[in-house]
Amino acid sequence: MIRTRVWGENFHDRLNHICQRNYPTGMHNCIADALRSDEIEVSVSIFEDPEHGLSEENLNNTDVLIWWSHSRNEDVPDEVSQRVQRRVLDGMGFIALHSAHLAKPFRNLMGTGCGLTWREANEKERLWVVDPTHPIAEGIGRYFELEEEEMYGEHFDIPAPDELVFISWFEGGEVFRSGCTFKRGRGKIFYFRPGHEMYPTYHDKNVQRVISNAVKWAKPTSNERPNYWANVPPMEPLKKPITVFE
């Protein structure tokens, strides 16, 4: 089982009547309910929990952390953000959704400002699969569409992704790198753009499939952990000299 934790602000979910209508039990629970399966075990944490639900114990029992945030990015204490960052470097997967591009752990892991352009208008988003061989795109087809979403546009101030899985096109003409992977230390990171709180995006089956695929991709490996501080003996001498030229 992949131990997955969905973290949400639970701010708009409580105070915005449109968000409440779209997600009666909260965005975090909508995402969590869609993920639960024979392969994925899901826990939920929110901003109001003790230590924001991100204690050492919780993180040590998490294989993949999914993060949605917006209005309270700066309210997450640096200590908690750094705790998440250390766990990612140690092998925990991290999936940043929508406006979590400005979440402290994501910015710390990227090492850039992670800014972008945006337009809050209900317009169609078409997400094109640009790497059909990638496991995160499994079962999606050439593209899928969301009839109503917020626009995010370039330039997106992130490092060049290790892999680009999706590119979004919007009715206003903009494009955006909307599905990006990164590796930091032993951890794998996926940024996925859709998910504005004013739209029922996380009920979409394709969005749910992408996030589920991403969890399976981002899970920690079982490879032996390198011991970087080991005092290793010298390599065995060669049995015979190498002849470069006859």
Side-chain angles (χ1 to χ4, degrees):
M1 295 285 281
I2 306 170
R3 299 171 301 172
T4 303
R5 183 170 299 275
V6 178
W7 190 90
E9 274 187 354
N10 196 38
F11 180 71
H12 302 283
D13 321 49
R14 293 183 293 108
L15 302 178
N16 184 295
H17 71 280
I18 298 177
C19 187
Q20 289 175 345
R21 184 180 66 203
N22 290 329
Y23 303 103
T25 62
M27 284 184 284
H28 48 286
N29 282 316
C30 178
I31 295 167
D33 290 344
L35 285 174
R36 290 189 175 94
S37 69
D38 293 339
E39 297 178 76
I40 301 174
E41 173 187 285
V42 185
S43 302
V44 170
S45 293
I46 57 175
F47 185 91
E48 292 88 353
D49 289 339
E51 297 188 67
H52 306 290
L54 299 169
S55 64
E56 292 278 6
E57 180 180 2
N58 281 351
L59 290 175
N60 287 338
N61 289 300
T62 299
D63 296 320
V64 179
L65 177 62
I66 299 172
W67 187 290
W68 191 100
S69 59
H70 182 198
S71 296
R72 308 199 71 177
N73 282 316
E74 295 304 319
D75 295 336
V76 175
D78 290 343
E79 177 187 354
V80 172
S81 172
Q82 291 162 7
R83 189 183 298 161
V84 172
Q85 182 182 8
R86 288 194 298 269
R87 277 289 293 130
V88 174
L89 296 177
D90 200 38
M92 181 181 72
F94 186 76
I95 299 172
L97 299 177
H98 192 58
S99 43
H101 67 94
L102 289 180
K104 284 183 180 179
F106 186 73
R107 283 183 290 159
N108 289 346
L109 289 161
M110 295 298 102
T112 58
C114 299
L116 47 81
T117 63
W118 60 277
R119 181 173 57 252
E120 191 169 345
N122 58 333
E123 55 187 279
K124 180 185 294 185
E125 177 181 3
R126 178 176 292 175
L127 291 99
W128 289 96
V129 175
V130 294
D131 185 355
T133 68
H134 201 285
I136 293 178
E138 183 179 351
I140 298 302
R142 292 182 63 213
Y143 67 88
F144 69 94
E145 292 182 344
L146 300 169
E147 289 300 319
E148 294 181 315
E149 254 296 349
E150 179 182 33
M151 188 283 294
Y152 277 9
E154 298 288 347
H155 176 247
F156 187 15
D157 184 22
I158 54 172
D162 294 334
E163 301 162 307
L164 184 59
V165 185
F166 300 102
I167 286 179
S168 288
W169 165 90
F170 297 88
E171 287 183 276
E174 292 86 358
V175 295
F176 187 77
R177 290 169 290 169
S178 54
C180 307
T181 75
F182 307 88
K183 293 179 182 177
R184 295 291 185 271
R186 291 171 55 83
K188 290 179 280 186
I189 302 164
F190 180 58
Y191 172 76
F192 190 43
R193 197 219 72 85
H196 187 53
E197 67 274 4
M198 301 293 281
Y199 308 112
T201 299
Y202 293 121
H203 294 284
D204 184 89
K205 296 301 182 184
N206 286 305
V207 170
Q208 293 174 355
R209 178 69 182 263
V210 169
I211 297 173
S212 176
N213 288 345
V215 167
K216 297 170 188 175
W217 169 85
K219 68 180 181 180
T221 67
S222 58
N223 295 344
E224 182 179 351
R225 186 182 307 278
N227 185 350
Y228 295 108
W229 308 111
N231 184 13
V232 297
M235 298 290 288
E236 290 188 12
L238 294 170
K239 301 301 183 184
K240 66 176 186 176
I242 296 175
T243 303
V244 179
F245 300 103
E246 296 291 346

